Amino acid sequence: MNQYETVFILTPVLSDEQMKETVAKFKKVLADNGAEILNEETWGLKKMAYAIEKKSTGFYCLLEFKAEPTVIGKLEIAYRRDEKVIRYMTVKLDKYAAEYAEKRRKKHAKTQEA
């Protein structure tokens, strides 16, 4: 199993509830295909560097997971089928990026505890 990280941007017209439902839907796609979700971060509504589909903001979400390579195709098909997704990117983490992601997760966990 490889370690992956996916970031997707959802349309800003969604309510908080709709945004959470959409993220849960993508987590379910991963879980149904045997992926192990390591981390989930919702960065909230952020301003984009340039307008996409005449929208200048979007809800940013990050999912970190371990999965077989075949799962990525299924996840990206789910992204394409969902009209709420403006952009997405999935990358495979090498051993150095995986170490960095683990350090970042631990640092993020400490800041949430305090």
Side-chain angles (χ1 to χ4, degrees), residues 34-46:
E36 174 192 346
I37 297 174
L38 303 173
N39 187 28
E40 172 193 354
E41 293 179 20
T42 303
W43 296 339
L45 191 65
K46 299 251 183 215

Side-chain angles (χ1 to χ4, degrees), residues 13-114:
V13 298
L14 299 176
S15 70
D16 215 28
E17 179 83 17
Q18 290 172 318
M19 191 257 313
K20 288 178 182 174
E21 287 174 5
T22 306
V23 172
K25 182 177 92 171
F26 293 129
K27 285 174 63 177
K28 185 179 181 322
V29 168
L30 289 171
D32 289 349
N33 289 294
E36 174 192 346
I37 297 174
L38 303 173
N39 187 28
E40 172 193 354
E41 293 179 20
T42 303
W43 296 339
L45 191 65
K46 299 251 183 215
K47 185 167 174 30
M48 295 188 278
Y50 55 90
I52 301 172
E53 299 174 9
K54 298 183 181 178
K55 294 173 178 69
S56 59
T57 60
F59 286 105
Y60 282 67
C61 301
L62 171 124
L63 292 174
E64 207 176 310
F65 59 96
K66 285 186 178 182
E68 296 297 325
T70 56
V71 175
I72 304 306
K74 294 173 185 174
L75 177 66
E76 292 188 350
I77 286 171
Y79 285 150
R80 284 189 216 113
R81 287 183 178 160
D82 196 328
E83 61 194 26
K84 298 172 194 156
V85 177
I86 299 175
R87 286 282 192 276
Y88 63 89
M89 186 166 88
T90 305
V91 293
K92 178 183 171 189
L93 302 178
D94 62 3
K95 66 179 184 179
Y96 303 109
E99 288 173 12
Y100 175 76
E102 190 173 332
K103 287 179 189 175
R104 194 187 78 222
R105 274 196 309 268
K106 288 178 182 176
K107 183 179 175 185
H108 184 70
K110 286 181 183 177
T111 57
Q112 284 191 337
E113 287 175 3

